[in-house]
Amino acid sequence: MLLINHGDMPWDQLTEDEQKEVAADYEAVSRTPGVTPGEWLEEPALATTVRVEGGRTLTTDGPFVEMKESLGGYLFYEADDLDAAIALAARIPAARLGGAVEVRPLK
């Protein structure tokens, strides 16, 4: 699984041409054989964090922790090996725009 973490560069700071390039890059990654695209997530401020303590369900608006990088989306990739997954992760625009892509094996 590739977890796409957005950095602190907001989309609206990119020029229109840069936005088109980023969108085309994400589309190309999605069409890569072995990739099952996931879904984009809303911003962390819209999250609700759920915990159960002493049998009571507790909710908190927003993410639990402040972090520079927030999960923005994900995809699944049936890779031959870790090197192939890393190569694909390097093609994801968030990795070059101040974010990161976490490659995590599934059980």
Side-chain angles (χ1 to χ4, degrees), residues 27-74:
E27 180 65 30
V29 167
S30 293
R31 289 191 314 266
T32 300
V35 169
T36 301
E39 297 292 328
W40 288 110
L41 304 174
E42 290 288 352
E43 62 183 272
L46 298 177
T48 300
T49 301
V50 178
R51 289 182 182 69
V52 177
E53 292 179 7
R56 285 188 41 219
T57 301
L58 308 173
T59 61
T60 305
D61 290 339
F64 175 61
V65 295
E66 291 284 329
M67 60 182 145
K68 179 180 176 186
E69 297 172 340
S70 61
L71 184 62
Y74 63 93

Side-chain angles (χ1 to χ4, degrees), residues 1-2 5 9 18 23 28 32 44 53 57 63 65 74 88 104:
M1 178 177 215
L2 281 70
N5 295 294
M9 176 182 257
E18 290 171 327
T32 300
E53 292 179 7
T57 301
V65 295
Y74 63 93
L88 180 68
R104 190 181 302 182

